[in-house]
Every structure is written in C-alpha cells, then in structure tokens.
Amino acid sequence: MRKDFSPSDLSSAEFYRLLTALVVPRPIAWVSSTSAEGVDNLAPHSFYTVASVTPPILQFTSVGRKDTLRNITERGEFVVNFAPASLMAEVNATGTNFPADVSEFDAAGLTREPGRTVSVPRVAESPAAFECRLHATQPMGDCVLIFGEVTHAVVAGDVLAGDHPLIDRLGPLSRLGRDEWGLPGPVEELKRIRRSEWPGSFRRRDDRGA
C-alpha cells in the first residue's frame, strides 16, 4: 500500500522535505567564493551534479538568493571543494547563516589555499577541488541553477592510484533527509551489461540463487 502526495496539497516546505528525503544520497558541492568586498565565503550545496562533459561543466542549485550566488555573479568564478566525511563537522558549520562580512573559512577554522586559475581560495583540508568560471545561471522557480566551466582540478596524491581517485580514500559525504548525512559504506562493482552480452532474459536472483 502506497501513500500519495501532491504538491498542490502540501506547503512548499513540506514537499521540499519529501523531495530531500527521497532524492538521496545527494553529493555536496562545498563552494568557495569571494565577495566584491573581498570576503571569502564557503557554503555546502547539496543539489549538485555534472552538467556537461565537453566542455566540463558542473552545476549546483542555490535555493534562494544566497551569498554564494551573489558572489559568483559579481566575480564570475568559484571553487567546488570535495566534501569528505572526515570534515563533516566543518561542512555542516559552513552552512550556518553568518552575515555576509563573516568568512566561513575563519569561523570553521579552515585553511585557505590559493587557486591556480581563479582568485577564489580552495579549502586546503579538502582532498580535491574544481576551479570554475561562471558559464551561466538559470532561474528555476524560487531557485537559481549555477553552471561553472571547470578550468582546473586538483587532487591529493594520497587518494590517488595512478591518476584515478579511490573512493575509499576520498570518503565522500552526502546529504539525506532532515538532519541526516550519508557516510561512506560498502562499495560494489557491477559492470553495465552490453547488448552483445545480454542473456536473453533478465530476472533478479534472490539470495538462494532461485
């Protein structure tokens, strides 16, 4: 038995809570930006994905018009820092609604690291970061989608095997519903089935192999 939910029957806040409890896990764009006055901002945004491969473009959503959005539209650049489980307390702390003249880097005790292709600092404690130049913004309801073209990427050597980042060393943090956070868990490898290898019929096998 399933229960029906309609956006027209719920407040936007109620349906938002439903959306964020079901669209899970959500990776976190830990976005650093700098205001026109020179204040370095850092904030987590959990509506985040890859928007394009060529050119490489990342996309995240500003739910409402926040300091991050204002800074990016004013300066035209930002950094998406990787959010690891080891920094969960710091990632959460940078989501505090500080006034615009307070830097979350300082409030959360994080270290600035200069970018190579942008003037915005990276989080030195983060194992990876994408430097981005603003590609476009797109209003969407009460939100704004922000698209940034990646101009440079940096990854800590101790999370790499050759040139490949290892998931168990990265320890990605994710957002779930309410105040819940997703931590790294078991990882399984499962190759996509090629059409030439399709078995002719498909049925999920249960634990007994039946």
Side-chain angles (χ1 to χ4, degrees), residues 107-124:
L110 293 161
T111 309
R112 294 168 175 81
E113 177 181 78
R116 177 168 292 189
T117 61
V118 297
S119 61
V120 175
R122 308 185 301 224
V123 176

Side-chain angles (χ1 to χ4, degrees), residues 126-148:
S126 172
F130 292 107
E131 298 177 10
C132 301
R133 288 206 173 95
L134 179 62
H135 176 77
T137 59
Q138 175 64 55
M140 190 70 63
D142 61 352
C143 299
V144 177
L145 280 60
I146 301 167
F147 299 88

Side-chain angles (χ1 to χ4, degrees), residues 78-96:
F78 59 97
V79 176
V80 176
N81 303 276
F82 188 89
S86 60
L87 295 176
M88 182 170 70
E90 287 83 356
V91 174
N92 182 59
T94 60
T96 301

Side-chain angles (χ1 to χ4, degrees), residues 160-181:
L160 290 171
D163 290 335
H164 183 71
L166 298 177
I167 196 71
D168 58 329
R169 296 182 188 176
L170 284 168
L173 183 65
S174 63
R175 286 292 281 122
L176 307 174
R178 294 181 175 173
D179 293 327
E180 301 162 331
W181 298 71

